[in-house]
Amino acid sequence: MKAFRIYFVFAILIIVGGMLGVYLALQQLEPSSGADDEQGATSEQVFFDFPEVKTDSVQDVLPELPPEAVPGEYVIHFGSRRDYLAYIAALMEAGHKPLGQIDELLAVRIPDDALLSVNFGRYGARASYSHRVKQPLPPVEIDPVALAGLRGYGASARSIVKGLPQGDGSGVIVAILDSGIKAHPQFDDVYIVNIDLAGGGVAGPGAAHGTSVASIIAGKEGIAPNAELFVVRVLDDEGQGNSYHVAEGIVQAVDMGVKVINMSLGVYEDSLLMRQAVKYASDRGVLLVAAAGNDGYDRMPFPAAYDQVLSVTALDAKGSQAVFPNQSQKIDFAAPGIGIRTAKEDEGTILFSGTSAAAPFVSGTLASLMSGEEAMSGDEAVKLLRRYLNDAGAPGPDPVYGAGLLDWDRLRERATPGILDIALAGIHLSADAQPGTNMPVEVTVQNRGTKWFNEAQLEVLINDSEPMSFTIGTLGPGQTTTRKVYAQLPSIDSEQTLDLAARVLPEDLNEDVRLENNLKAIQYRPR
């Protein structure tokens, strides 16, 4: 009898436990009425494409489709996992299968007919669009004379960098969100994992762009030859994709354990989902690098425009900005981007140009610094890059060159004492200088060595006039100093040019390790 009672009690407990489990499961699929204990990526201050839905009909609040939005689909964002799961269940019950979902960001991609079937506002959700993303296009509205004056490097990334910045990339996974990658002899010893989000296959049509980008980062001619690659095809055969796939690729890369994400792509519309994905990566210590764009605008596309992303502009072999890149005070680095010799699809090489080529120089360098015996963290690697940048253009950070130019010699020599390297960093005439007026010209000198110097002579020559001389006093490693002179600009209808040249000379020429950077000249022609 006692045993019967025990079994009876156990049976009651099992029935009650089962009923409680069913109740809790059903509760998981019901919209939450208040704060949830597990918040999603939308808990930060964000701005939505859609107003909050407070009516029973979503149709009442549909805004006009933005120019860069992908038609026929929407992205729904949730503040709690409970609401997220409940909405997906309701969507499936209504006969709609999501086009995609990113669990980490509590975001669902749906077709437009699903938007009208299940009211996302009932689940405390908000909606946004997916935007068209493109690889940076070749410049089409830039002065052809200026373009013709650019000098290509004509060499591989390894040759330009002149060896390893630090480690060979071993143990570092770099994600490349691009058009895919083709098999190539340069990648024979590179471990590559890939996924295709855009369709057509990772090695499908259009993969040439991603192949070139990858060969700058890793492989036999890459900056970090032994870095592992996680290649995500987010651009199709025409170099186009969408912000949803970019966000999805970022999240998958983070979850894969990558340390650097390279994105030679962009869109001029801010995408809520892409912004959340960038934050997801940044919060987990992953470095993001993106091309500044080739359109000659005074702003950058996204993701380069996000604060958490390192943006990169392009230089030619003379160290001059490549004319066509976008300009912005937020640009972080300037790197080689004209005539870079890269892997050409299945075999051979091709000359690759643009900010798409410049960005992977930064990604490869970071991978090198994060590997080897003196491997550093991502934050440490970025700080080191910033510390050893070369000034150019206007003194200090500027919209043309950003915070400055990468210098791999300085990175390698940073621990070697006693190096003297005095450089003529820049001759700057303001872009809004008016023809026919007397305008200031700024001449900047930088100490790029590892020792202090006490004195140097700066000479500035304007056209055929007598040189103007200045004494440069004590200057520490990395420091800059600027001198200002005034020059008369030719009038708008004049055929004359303004020729400016400057050189800086140390007390002992034989002590300066790089005399080739002691001289600079520019020419101004009124337009």
Side-chain angles (χ1 to χ4, degrees):
M1 186 63 129
K2 188 174 183 180
F4 174 77
R5 287 177 180 173
I6 293 174
Y7 287 130
F8 180 75
V9 170
F10 278 149
I12 294 295
L13 289 174
I14 291 172
I15 293 172
V16 171
M19 293 175 64
L20 180 61
V22 171
Y23 171 77
L24 292 175
L26 290 174
Q27 284 294 102
Q28 287 269 336
L29 297 179
E30 285 297 316
S32 62
S33 57
D36 199 289
D37 59 347
E38 185 176 1
Q39 294 298 315
T42 56
S43 58
E44 61 173 321
Q45 179 78 28
V46 295
F47 299 93
F48 292 85
D49 296 328
F50 280 51
E52 185 176 0
V53 177
K54 295 182 178 180
T55 67
D56 291 333
S57 175
V58 179
Q59 184 73 48
D60 295 340
V61 295
L62 287 180
E64 185 177 351
L65 195 71
E68 292 298 323
V70 178
E73 63 181 63
Y74 302 92
V75 179
I76 312 300
H77 307 259
F78 296 84
S80 75
R81 187 163 300 278
R82 178 182 298 174
D83 289 335
Y84 171 71
L85 295 174
Y87 177 80
I88 292 175
L91 204 63
M92 300 290 283
E93 186 177 346
H96 298 287
K97 183 179 180 181
L99 299 175
Q101 56 192 82
I102 305 177
D103 293 343
E104 294 85 347
L105 303 184
L106 305 184
V108 187
R109 181 185 178 205
I110 62 170
D112 52 3
D113 57 344
L115 184 76
L116 303 177
S117 296
V118 181
N119 187 346
F120 60 84
R122 180 171 175 261
Y123 299 85
R126 301 293 292 271
S128 72
Y129 296 103
S130 183
H131 298 276
R132 295 186 182 92
V133 174
K134 302 175 183 177
Q135 66 189 38
L137 299 173
V140 293
E141 297 181 0
I142 307 297
D143 181 4
V145 176
L147 287 175
L150 297 176
R151 182 187 301 168
Y153 283 86
S156 69
R158 177 79 69 84
S159 298
I160 293 168
V161 173
K162 302 174 188 174
L164 297 175
Q166 183 165 288
D168 63 6
S170 294
V172 177
I173 307 175
V174 180
I176 301 174
L177 273 60
D178 212 289
S179 61
I181 189 171
K182 290 272 193 179
H184 192 282
Q186 289 192 21
F187 304 129
D188 284 349
D189 299 323
V190 179
Y191 182 74
I192 302 175
V193 175
N194 53 67
I195 59 173
D196 178 16
L197 299 179
V202 171
H209 188 269
T211 303
S212 288
V213 168
S215 68
I216 293 173
I217 297 172
K220 295 175 182 177
E221 294 298 329
I223 298 171
N226 290 338
E228 300 174 19
L229 299 181
F230 180 58
V231 179
V232 186
R233 180 175 165 100
V234 295
L235 302 176
D236 60 20
D237 56 338
E238 296 181 353
Q240 299 189 28
N242 62 68
S243 56
Y244 180 88
H245 283 151
V246 173
E248 185 178 16
I250 290 173
V251 170
Q252 291 202 28
V254 173
D255 293 347
M256 183 73 177
V258 308
K259 294 184 178 179
V260 183
I261 299 176
N262 188 92
M263 296 172 285
S264 292
L265 47 77
V267 56
Y268 287 98
E269 292 285 343
D270 184 7
S271 159
L272 169 60
L273 188 65
M274 194 160 64
R275 179 156 26 101
Q276 291 175 330
V278 163
K279 184 178 185 301
Y280 180 84
S282 179
D283 287 350
R284 287 155 181 78
V286 177
L287 302 179
L288 301 106
V289 181
N294 301 340
D295 300 299
Y297 297 157
D298 59 359
R299 59 194 176 102
M300 291 188 295
F302 300 95
Y306 294 126
D307 291 339
Q308 303 98 321
V309 176
L310 301 171
S311 53
V312 190
T313 189
L315 303 171
D316 76 347
K318 296 178 294 185
S320 300
Q321 196 251 26
V323 182
F324 56 78
N326 296 332
Q327 298 184 18
S328 170
Q329 200 71 38
K330 290 186 175 182
I331 291 175
D332 293 285
F333 304 111
I338 298 294
I340 313 302
R341 192 165 294 282
T342 62
K344 179 186 178 183
E345 296 190 70
D346 299 319
E347 59 182 20
T349 60
I350 190 173
L351 295 179
F352 186 49
S353 297
T355 55
S356 287
F361 271 88
V362 173
S363 297
T365 302
L366 290 171
S368 174
L369 295 176
M370 296 169 74
S371 65
E373 293 182 358
E374 299 179 0
M376 54 190 69
S377 69
D379 285 344
E380 291 171 337
V382 173
K383 288 178 182 177
L384 190 70
L385 278 193
R386 294 190 192 281
R387 182 178 177 184
Y388 290 98
L389 291 175
N390 291 345
D391 198 12
D398 66 80
V400 180
Y401 293 94
L405 287 56
L406 292 186
D407 188 328
W408 293 275
D409 287 329
R410 292 184 66 194
L411 286 173
R412 282 186 290 264
E413 295 169 354
R414 67 186 185 273
T416 304
I419 294 177
L420 179 67
D421 183 11
I422 305 174
L424 201 295
I427 303 174
H428 177 252
L429 178 65
S430 177
D432 59 3
Q434 296 298 311
T437 62
N438 199 39
M439 294 294 295
V441 177
E442 296 171 306
V443 182
T444 301
V445 173
Q446 184 174 24
N447 181 356
R448 295 176 182 170
T450 59
K451 64 177 287 187
W452 288 73
F453 69 81
N454 295 322
E455 186 174 311
Q457 293 299 314
L458 171 65
E459 295 181 349
V460 181
L461 183 66
I462 301 176
N463 291 330
D464 297 327
S465 62
E466 287 294 317
M468 290 174 279
S469 296
F470 303 87
T471 298
I472 305 297
T474 303
L475 207 60
Q479 292 181 352
T480 63
T481 185
T482 300
R483 299 295 183 270
K484 187 178 292 186
V485 298
Y486 285 82
Q488 181 66 34
L489 276 58
S491 60
I492 191 69
D493 55 355
S494 172
E495 296 184 1
Q496 294 181 332
T497 61
L498 173 64
D499 297 307
L500 297 164
R503 67 176 180 175
V504 59
L505 303 173
E507 291 181 299
D508 184 357
L509 287 176
N510 295 322
E511 195 179 356
D512 196 323
V513 298
R514 275 179 281 275
L515 287 172
E516 65 272 15
N517 64 19
N518 292 39
L519 175 68
K520 194 175 285 288
I522 67 169
Q523 185 178 79
Y524 171 83
R525 187 183 301 274
R527 295 197 178 101

